[in-house]
Amino acid sequence: MKRTRLQVFGGGRAIAQWPASWKIIALTVIWYVVVQTIFGHSVQGDARAGAMVGVFVTHGQIFRLLTAIFVHLSLMHLLVNMVSLWTLTAVESLLGANAFVVIYLVSGLFGNVLSLAVGAGLTVSAGASGAIFGLFGAMLGLAFLRILPTVVRNQLLMILAINVVLDITHPDIDWLAHLGGMVAGILLTLVYVNVNRSVRLWRTASIIMVCLTAISLIACLVTPLSAI
């Protein structure tokens, strides 16, 4: 009689070998399907699941600056952002998984910080768009550094122009988070290309950001809204 291991979804090792972008997409979808469903797909439920609420952050719930990246306000919101993230996985191929993770998470964080600095108040906002704009900024930075061809730069500028129009004409869109994320993505890419490409540095930064994100998500689950 021969024995073999039951392989579920390719096995744990196969999942561990997924690109970082796939893991982020999987985590975001799971958060929406499981956590947000448990808390309820409502304004209060979204806030309970970790959405950005300025007054909560200023009262100590700083974990929301990271958890809001993984919260989405509707199924369509989630779908649009995850498709956008999937189209920008080239950043991971060009810069590596560690830099990709750092750019994604730091850009989302910086976008939320900028949005909060201007004054979010009691507004509930969420989504991965700030982080995604960070990846877009990374692509734009690579294009202006001539690592990507001119035609790609022109296409990116056209997409940017379209997004600027959408941001202006749709008041529900948090354009400050988009701007902050894109600026962070460009700057981090310039640092990677022109200052330091050390594998150890970017791996360490990636581990730090992943740990901070994990702690933030756990804190979100155990912190009631009434904590303020």
Side-chain angles (χ1 to χ4, degrees), residues 3-223:
R3 294 182 177 180
T4 184
R5 290 182 177 272
L6 176 64
Q7 298 295 320
V8 182
F9 298 114
R13 182 176 299 179
I15 294 176
Q17 293 173 347
W18 282 7
S21 52
W22 291 16
K23 294 175 184 177
I24 290 173
I25 290 173
L27 174 59
T28 306
V29 171
I30 289 172
W31 196 261
Y32 182 84
V33 173
V34 178
V35 176
Q36 290 190 245
T37 298
I38 290 174
F39 290 138
H41 294 286
S42 62
V43 173
Q44 185 173 1
D46 293 336
R48 183 68 183 82
M52 267 282 294
V53 185
V55 67
F56 290 176
V57 178
T58 56
H59 279 75
Q61 296 185 8
I62 59 174
F63 57 79
R64 293 179 180 277
L65 295 172
L66 279 171
T67 58
I69 300 172
F70 299 92
V71 178
H72 287 81
L73 304 182
S74 68
L75 183 59
M76 181 58 67
H77 186 206
L78 173 70
L79 179 62
V80 169
N81 274 347
M82 293 304 97
V83 170
S84 299
L85 173 54
W86 178 75
T87 63
L88 290 165
T89 54
V91 175
E92 184 173 359
S93 300
L94 293 166
L95 302 182
N98 292 320
F100 178 90
V101 169
V102 173
I103 291 171
Y104 186 83
L105 294 176
V106 172
S107 295
L109 174 64
F110 189 76
N112 287 334
V113 169
L114 182 60
S115 178
L116 177 66
V118 174
L122 290 171
T123 302
V124 176
S125 60
S129 55
I132 291 169
F133 263 79
L135 299 179
F136 181 81
M139 290 288 286
L140 199 59
L142 291 171
F144 278 107
L145 289 170
R146 298 185 179 179
I147 295 174
L148 296 175
T150 304
V151 63
V152 174
R153 181 200 64 192
N154 294 339
Q155 290 172 347
L156 289 170
L157 289 174
M158 184 177 297
I159 295 172
L160 177 60
I162 293 172
N163 276 278
V164 168
V165 173
L166 290 174
D167 285 354
I168 293 174
T169 56
H170 290 74
D172 292 338
I173 295 178
D174 189 352
W175 65 272
L176 284 169
H178 293 183
L179 175 63
M182 187 173 66
V183 170
I186 293 174
L187 292 177
L188 286 169
T189 301
L190 293 177
V191 170
Y192 179 87
V193 174
N194 293 328
V195 180
N196 196 325
R197 301 188 190 186
S198 168
V199 174
R200 178 178 296 181
L201 171 67
W202 289 93
R203 182 187 297 122
T204 300
S206 175
I207 292 172
I208 291 172
M209 289 307 303
V210 168
C211 288
L212 287 175
T213 300
I215 292 171
S216 296
L217 292 173
I218 293 171
C220 169
L221 294 177
V222 300
T223 305

